[in-house]
Amino acid sequence: MLAQLSKGECTVSDLAKPFRDEMSLPAVTKHLKVLEKAGLITKSKDAQYRPCKLNADGLKEAADWMQEYRMFWEESFDRLDDYLKTVVAAEKKEKTKKPKGKKKKHASRK
Amino acid sequence: MLAQLSKGECTVSDLAKPFRDEMSLPAVTKHLKVLEKAGLITKSKDAQYRPCKLNADGLKEAADWMQEYRMFWEESFDRLDDYLKTVVAAEKKEKTKKPKGKKKKHASRK
DNA sequence: CCTATACTTAACTTATTCGTTAATTAACTA
DNA sequence: TAGTTAATTAACGAATAAGTTAAGTATAGG
């Protein structure tokens, strides 16, 4: 729906059309209500129609917010990568050792 | 919990300890069950204890999966950025024009 | 054998998400 | 004015997430 709106203002039923067989109109109304509350879109009046458009300010806020987390996510990716590299390396080493070595006891649990 | 496990195998109660006042032990059991089902950890038996460890294969799969979506997310970020640039530009232009111009009618809705 | 410890299972609660159908409001139009 | 179209509201429901308490199982160890 946001993608649709990025091409220009349009009405509730226009936005609903692509989802005709997936959800009802009231469902769309509700969906739009959360987008509106979230400040991502605005609705206005034109006779029976409620033309919707993207809200630049809200989108900017959202983008800024995501931008913050983007780093966090990427760091997480990198940490996972690091972790996997060490694990995979450890496993390769494991395989070159004798396959039936002593089982390592875990640390004492008292 | 995954972070904890990345430092080495440990038991259910060890994993639960940092969350003592946030959730009960059964809650932890359940949480671990979903991590196990998701293939991110494995559990074994040692007397009453159930030592858990990270599952490298599962984590690798998860990382690969995320890697795929990473691009999608970043593209989305970029598209948002692009969109915002054009919108902000458009708004600046708007402000330099006479503030009380003709209201543009929306496209006919028949 | 008895009991404490580690953990699990069962049964239930509570809140939220995401939808539904039916009725309602508002405005256009023949 | 009567009917149609656009959208919303009301009332409800199913599914899921994420916990809770209380009871049960398995094992170690005095």
Side-chain angles (χ1 to χ4, degrees):
Chain A
M1 290 181 181
L2 292 177
Q4 172 66 34
L5 285 173
S6 78
K7 293 178 209 152
E9 197 171 308
C10 65
T11 69
V12 173
S13 2
D14 285 345
L15 289 173
K17 214 156 278 171
F19 304 93
R20 264 166 94 15
D21 41 337
E22 288 163 65
M23 55 192 288
S24 66
L25 203 60
V28 172
T29 292
K30 287 186 185 178
H31 190 82
L32 293 177
K33 192 157 288 181
V34 344
L35 291 179
E36 204 180 2
K37 255 192 191 166
L40 299 179
I41 67 170
T42 56
K43 272 193 276 190
S44 38
K45 283 194 185 185
D46 174 21
Q48 321 98 301
Y49 305 89
R50 297 297 120 93
C52 307
K53 49 183 278 202
L54 291 181
N55 173 10
D57 290 346
L59 281 167
K60 169 130 183 48
E61 255 181 75
D64 289 349
W65 184 86
M66 285 195 247
Q67 196 64 33
E68 251 177 76
Y69 283 84
R70 180 183 195 165
M71 252 172 51
F72 167 70
W73 290 336
E74 294 186 359
E75 270 171 32
S76 298
F77 283 139
D78 292 343
R79 274 206 266 276
L80 239 193
D81 281 354
D82 286 352
Y83 170 74
L84 289 170
K85 266 173 220 150
T86 69
V87 170
V88 169
E91 275 177 352
K92 266 186 190 158
K93 243 185 195 169
E94 199 75 13
K95 274 177 195 156
T96 60
K97 283 162 72 179
K98 52 188 171 184
K100 272 289 184 183
K102 266 181 192 166
K103 265 183 218 153
K104 208 193 268 169
K105 273 194 213 126
H106 9 73
S108 157
R109 303 197 211 288
K110 208 200 12 283
Chain B
M1 289 181 182
L2 292 177
Q4 173 65 36
L5 285 173
S6 78
K7 294 178 208 153
E9 196 171 310
C10 65
T11 70
V12 173
S13 0
D14 286 344
L15 290 173
K17 214 154 279 169
F19 304 94
R20 263 171 102 1
D21 42 336
E22 288 162 65
M23 55 191 290
S24 66
L25 204 60
V28 172
T29 293
K30 286 186 185 176
H31 190 82
L32 293 176
K33 193 158 285 180
V34 344
L35 291 180
E36 203 180 3
K37 254 193 192 165
L40 299 179
I41 67 170
T42 56
K43 271 194 278 190
S44 39
K45 282 194 186 185
D46 173 20
Q48 320 99 299
Y49 304 89
R50 297 298 122 93
C52 307
K53 48 184 279 199
L54 291 180
N55 174 8
D57 290 347
L59 282 166
K60 170 130 181 49
E61 254 180 78
D64 289 349
W65 183 86
M66 285 195 247
Q67 197 64 33
E68 250 176 77
Y69 283 85
R70 181 183 194 163
M71 252 171 53
F72 167 71
W73 291 334
E74 294 187 359
E75 270 170 32
S76 298
F77 284 140
D78 294 344
R79 274 205 267 275
L80 239 194
D81 281 353
D82 287 352
Y83 170 73
L84 289 171
K85 267 172 222 151
T86 67
V87 170
V88 169
E91 276 177 351
K92 267 187 191 157
K93 241 184 197 168
E94 198 74 13
K95 275 178 195 153
T96 60
K97 283 163 70 178
K98 52 187 172 187
K100 273 288 185 183
K102 267 181 193 168
K103 266 183 217 153
K104 208 192 267 169
K105 273 193 214 131
H106 10 74
S108 156
R109 303 196 212 288
K110 205 185 32 283

